[in-house]
Amino acid sequence: MLPPSWAGAVRRSLRGSGENGLLTRFRSREYHSRDMQLDGHLGKRERLRLIGSLVTRKRIGTQLELQDALAAAGCRVTQATISRDIRELGLEKSKDSLGRPRYVAPHRQRRVDPREGLAAVLAQFARRATAAQNLVVVFSELGTAPAIARAIDRIEHDLVVGTVAGDDTVLVITATSADARVLARELTKLIS
């Protein structure tokens, strides 16, 4: 409780002189929703809900991208607020199929079977697979070879010794040329 002298001062400043008083200015503004503050910022609950929606619908990989997406939705916040919201929501950094960073909600992230992931990446980006001695050369779209190599590594295939990725070519190393031919056939089926 404020001392009586302070309470009177607060009441007088709220009333102010006509149009300049804080209470008068407060009452003249319109609300857009019950969670919208006077300056156009969303309340915390609504902002957290919006962030959750944005990270599930869009690939957002940095706090700056999230800040831009929030601004586009009409919510202006600082980087510090975004950092606290990310921590409170428990958002995790993950990578999409191309290896780009992205925020995901921990309870919504579905673990993809590595073989399904490989099939999806190959079908979308690979062009062909060719055996050459104990190597399988996978040709792909520019910039997608690292994602393909990572997907091949994740399946831990018995025939694969390792992979090396360039920009548009993946070298898959096998132990023998027979293994390379078998693997090339398997990959070709997934590409088609």
Side-chain angles (χ1 to χ4, degrees), residues 1 11 39 51 73 92-93 115 135 140 144 178-179 184-185:
M1 179 124 195
R11 274 195 303 276
D39 57 1
I51 290 171
E92 299 171 352
K93 276 270 186 132
R115 292 195 178 273
L135 302 174
S140 66
T144 60
D179 290 346
R185 280 194 293 273

Side-chain angles (χ1 to χ4, degrees), residues 4 6 23-24 26 33 59 127 129 132 157 176 191:
W6 286 22
L23 192 57
T24 305
F26 176 82
S33 77
R59 188 199 64 78
R127 297 293 163 239
H157 197 289
T176 67
I191 292 169

Side-chain angles (χ1 to χ4, degrees), residues 3-4 14 34 70 73 78-79 87 102 120 139 146 162 175 190:
L14 284 176
R34 73 178 178 83
L70 287 168
T78 65
Q79 182 274 329
R87 195 171 28 256
R102 119 174 248 163
F139 299 94
L190 294 173

Side-chain angles (χ1 to χ4, degrees), residues 46-156:
E46 288 297 313
R47 187 180 64 246
L48 293 176
R49 197 174 302 146
L50 177 60
I51 290 171
S53 173
L54 287 170
V55 298
T56 56
R57 290 183 294 120
K58 296 181 176 186
R59 188 199 64 78
I60 297 176
T62 65
Q63 291 183 6
L64 182 59
E65 289 174 357
L66 182 55
Q67 189 174 24
D68 291 343
L70 287 168
C75 178
R76 295 179 311 270
V77 292
T78 65
Q79 182 274 329
T81 300
I82 289 173
S83 182
R84 284 190 297 271
D85 289 348
I86 287 171
R87 195 171 28 256
E88 185 169 332
L89 288 169
L91 296 181
E92 299 171 352
K93 276 270 186 132
S94 182
K95 299 220 183 235
D96 65 9
S97 61
L98 293 177
R100 297 176 299 190
R102 119 174 248 163
Y103 284 112
V104 292
H107 62 282
R108 296 194 182 192
Q109 184 179 16
R110 185 177 74 96
R111 296 286 179 203
V112 177
D113 176 30
R115 292 195 178 273
E116 288 177 20
L118 175 62
V121 169
L122 286 174
Q124 188 171 4
F125 302 114
R127 297 293 163 239
R128 69 181 189 280
T130 306
Q133 299 289 336
N134 70 321
L135 302 174
V136 176
V137 182
V138 179
F139 299 94
S140 66
E141 289 183 19
L142 188 63
T144 60
I148 293 171
R150 194 170 15 264
I152 292 171
D153 289 339
R154 283 187 183 143
I155 65 168
E156 298 177 358

